[in-house]
Amino acid sequence: MKIYRAHSYQEMSRKAANIISAQIIMNPKCVLGLATGSSPIGIYEQLVDWYNKDDLDFARVKTVNLDEYRGLDKDNPQSYNYFMHHHLFSKVNIKEKNIHIPDGMNEDAEDECKKYEELIDSLGGIDLQLLGLGPNGHIGFNEPSNCFTRKTHVVDLAEATIEANKRFFEDASMVPRQAYTMGIGTIMRAKKILMVVEGEKKAEILKRALTEEVTPEVPASILQLHPDFTLVADDAALSKLDW
Ligand code: GLP
């Protein structure tokens, strides 16, 4: 595990964007696993900036997103599909056919999950997976539970997640109760994992995830076992780690 410390959100975003940019430069046809939430927005801004300066080319990059709310159309501003187009895809030269996000409107959950897993396999797996950290230790939408899920599946969102994500909606009642998410296995099979974490409110859960036992009660704790895991976090998020 590598840990990079940043003194601000901007510095964290730039350090993480450096790693993604290096991945694209090394392998212009790479498969990037992408994430939503407020943590990665600065990374996407930095990548767009480098693209505008002609230092990055997304022409052959392929992407797979971690998760999507169930029941939200891709044109719904709260959907992760909309978020990704708004913050990154519409601003760089990625090809629409190379963008993959679970279809929140597919009512046949089994079909959607199977298709998404097969798609990731057909792309040859994920080269670099970007992650944020949920307030309860979730990654993607893998909520605390009694076992690590292997594949893409439907989850019932935890109250803590609904509470944390309601800031993006009119009120908590508007937050979808379910989502499609890559499984812990799907995420852990990525060749590299890059996590960004900021803020004092994540300090305790980050400490538990990285220094205490590996348990599905804290889904991110499994990252301790990944052979190529990099964390980029700010001072506040690292404040409870002895590091
Ligand atoms: C959501 C997403 C996660 C993300 C988490 C943290 O629940 N499904 O992938 O990591 O939020 O978001 P934030 O970065 O806004 O704290």
Side-chain angles (χ1 to χ4, degrees), residues 58-164:
F58 289 80
R60 290 184 292 163
V61 169
K62 300 179 191 95
T63 64
V64 284
N65 259 78
L66 273 174
D67 46 15
E68 178 60 285
Y69 286 115
R70 202 160 174 220
L72 293 194
D73 184 72
K74 63 180 171 36
D75 297 325
N76 186 316
Q78 317 305 341
S79 74
Y80 286 167
N81 197 313
Y82 188 98
F83 174 104
M84 290 307 304
H85 281 82
H86 177 72
H87 289 288
L88 182 67
F89 299 150
S90 67
K91 298 178 174 166
V92 297
N93 65 333
I94 190 164
K95 297 197 174 78
E96 197 59 39
K97 69 170 173 76
N98 288 336
I99 295 171
H100 307 285
I101 303 175
D103 176 4
M105 295 307 283
N106 187 349
E107 283 177 15
D108 185 343
E110 209 178 305
D111 171 65
E112 188 57 30
C113 297
K114 188 166 172 286
K115 277 202 303 213
Y116 207 63
E117 277 298 308
E118 286 170 0
L119 167 89
I120 295 170
D121 282 349
S122 74
L123 296 175
I126 299 166
D127 292 302
L128 171 66
Q129 177 65 55
L130 176 62
L131 294 178
L133 178 65
N136 56 2
H138 77 214
I139 48 177
F141 266 135
N142 290 279
E143 302 285 26
S145 80
N146 55 11
C147 73
F148 290 118
T149 50
R150 205 155 59 88
K151 294 180 176 175
T152 300
H153 60 288
V154 172
V155 280
D156 292 327
L157 299 182
E159 271 313 310
T161 301
I162 293 167
E163 193 52 32

Side-chain angles (χ1 to χ4, degrees), residues 189-232:
R189 285 191 292 278
K191 295 177 192 86
K192 296 183 206 306
I193 296 185
L194 170 63
M195 176 180 257
V196 281
V197 186
E198 56 129 3
E200 214 269 317
K201 61 185 186 309
K202 301 267 178 79
E204 183 60 36
I205 193 70
L206 184 64
K207 176 177 160 253
R208 279 183 70 196
L210 300 188
T211 64
E212 293 180 16
E213 69 171 314
V214 173
T215 164
E217 295 294 334
V218 183
S221 64
I222 199 169
L223 296 169
Q224 293 178 39
L225 303 181
H226 195 279
D228 192 347
F229 170 56
T230 301
L231 168 73
V232 185

Side-chain angles (χ1 to χ4, degrees), residues 147-184:
C147 73
F148 290 118
T149 50
R150 205 155 59 88
K151 294 180 176 175
T152 300
H153 60 288
V154 172
V155 280
D156 292 327
L157 299 182
E159 271 313 310
T161 301
I162 293 167
E163 193 52 32
N165 290 2
K166 72 176 187 201
R167 64 203 146 115
F168 299 110
F169 294 80
E170 253 170 60
D171 60 67
S173 70
M174 307 289 280
V175 185
R177 269 31 193 179
Q178 288 191 320
Y180 286 109
T181 182
M182 284 184 196
I184 293 287

